[in-house]
Amino acid sequence: MTQSSGVFIQSTQTDPVVRAGAVIRTEYERLHALLTTLVEPQPTAGAGDGEGNGTGDAEGAPDRATTASPASASASVTTTATTGVVGEIRRHLTASAETLHAAAAHAPESRLLVSALRIARSALDRHVDALDAAGDSASATAAAQRVEAVLSVHRAVEEDVLLPALAALPGGVLPSLVADYETLLRGGSLDTSAVIDVRPVPREQRHPLVFARYARLTPGGTFTLVNNHDPKPLHKQFEAAHPGAYTWDYVEQGPAKWQIRIGRPNHRPCT
């Protein structure tokens, strides 16, 4: 009874990993559907009239709709289709790299995982470039199949390994990262403000907000946190999640207003 209850709790939409997994899964399924349109046979232009002879009118003259070169028509369709699919795949890869992967890249528990994902990403980029350059249906189909194969591996690793690792990080940052991921997918931009004032923010949302902002920092980057008290619990969470991979400098120390400059150093922490 205890075991089944635990499974039920894990399967509810209140679990952050389950909710994040649903978002990731939906996006991968959408990309899969787009790739399928390149793999499945496409109707051939000018296939003929209802008699099935494709020779034209009763006098034997060719139909005007069939005078265009089938090869050039196929290439045109392929170029138009692949351009859209390639754009969507690249948008997804950028969104995941700048949110989910970036947050995990500097945590000791998931740093090697992100390194492996980046190696796979390099191979995926080559296949996507080949798909973008495909000049005919056969080439597009072959490239699309390769892209889909690597994407399937990415999906499994992100769902089964990366998301649980992010959920285990202090600060409850996973929901904020997924929200950022969705923002980039919709063509939006992320908040890169130099100052984050959490005083008007509900208490339970403050730490995830700060951790999500830290995840977007490039090496050498900083932002200033403004609070109405000394955020010692947040400092402890940073030390647990990113030991040696962050800076914490007090700019103003109360009594009513506290400012801390938080940054990502240029050097990598020793492990």
Side-chain angles (χ1 to χ4, degrees):
M1 196 64 156
T2 302
Q3 181 177 0
S4 62
S5 298
V7 172
F8 174 78
I9 292 173
Q10 281 291 328
S11 66
T12 65
Q13 287 298 304
T14 59
D15 184 275
V17 177
V18 174
R19 295 181 66 184
V23 172
I24 297 297
R25 194 177 310 113
T26 297
E27 175 61 11
Y28 273 105
E29 289 172 353
R30 187 179 73 87
L31 295 178
H32 168 77
L34 290 174
L35 286 165
T36 298
T37 65
L38 303 180
V39 173
E40 291 180 344
Q42 301 293 324
T44 302
D49 57 22
E51 299 296 326
N53 53 24
T55 58
D57 58 24
E59 299 299 324
D63 292 332
R64 291 174 180 171
T66 62
T67 56
S69 166
S72 63
S74 175
S76 177
V77 171
T78 298
T79 300
T80 301
T82 56
T83 298
V85 175
V86 164
E88 291 300 308
I89 293 172
R90 286 176 173 160
R91 187 193 300 271
H92 157 74
L93 293 175
T94 298
S96 58
E98 293 185 3
T99 57
L100 306 175
H101 296 189
H106 296 273
E109 301 87 347
S110 51
R111 187 177 301 130
L112 290 179
L113 170 62
V114 174
S115 295
L117 282 169
R118 287 173 175 170
I119 291 173
R121 163 73 187 272
S122 296
L124 183 54
D125 283 338
R126 291 194 295 272
H127 295 320
V128 173
D129 289 343
L131 177 60
D132 194 22
D136 54 71
S137 296
S139 299
T141 292
Q145 289 173 331
R146 291 191 292 269
V147 169
E148 188 172 17
V150 183
L151 276 178
S152 296
V153 176
H154 258 249
R155 170 181 172 174
V157 174
E158 287 183 346
E159 273 196 68
D160 299 337
V161 186
L162 180 61
L163 295 183
L166 289 172
L169 292 179
V173 71
L174 182 56
S176 295
L177 293 173
V178 173
D180 287 347
Y181 168 77
E182 292 182 293
T183 295
L184 292 178
L185 285 182
R186 293 191 297 266
S189 58
L190 301 182
D191 180 17
T192 56
S193 302
V195 177
I196 295 182
D197 189 344
V198 299
R199 289 174 296 181
V201 177
R203 186 174 297 273
E204 67 276 6
Q205 298 177 18
R206 294 179 180 181
H207 289 196
L209 177 66
V210 175
F211 272 100
R213 179 66 184 89
Y214 170 81
R216 294 193 288 273
L217 286 180
T218 56
T222 65
F223 66 93
T224 299
L225 168 65
V226 181
N227 206 347
N228 54 12
H229 65 274
D230 188 357
K232 292 180 179 179
L234 177 65
H235 193 186
K236 290 181 179 179
Q237 288 185 328
F238 259 92
E239 187 59 33
H242 307 290
Y246 74 99
T247 59
W248 183 280
D249 300 306
Y250 285 96
V251 178
E252 184 177 354
Q253 295 180 270
K257 181 180 179 182
W258 295 71
Q259 295 191 70
I260 301 95
R261 186 175 296 111
I262 301 173
R264 187 190 298 278
N266 286 303
H267 67 275
R268 290 191 59 178
C270 299
T271 56

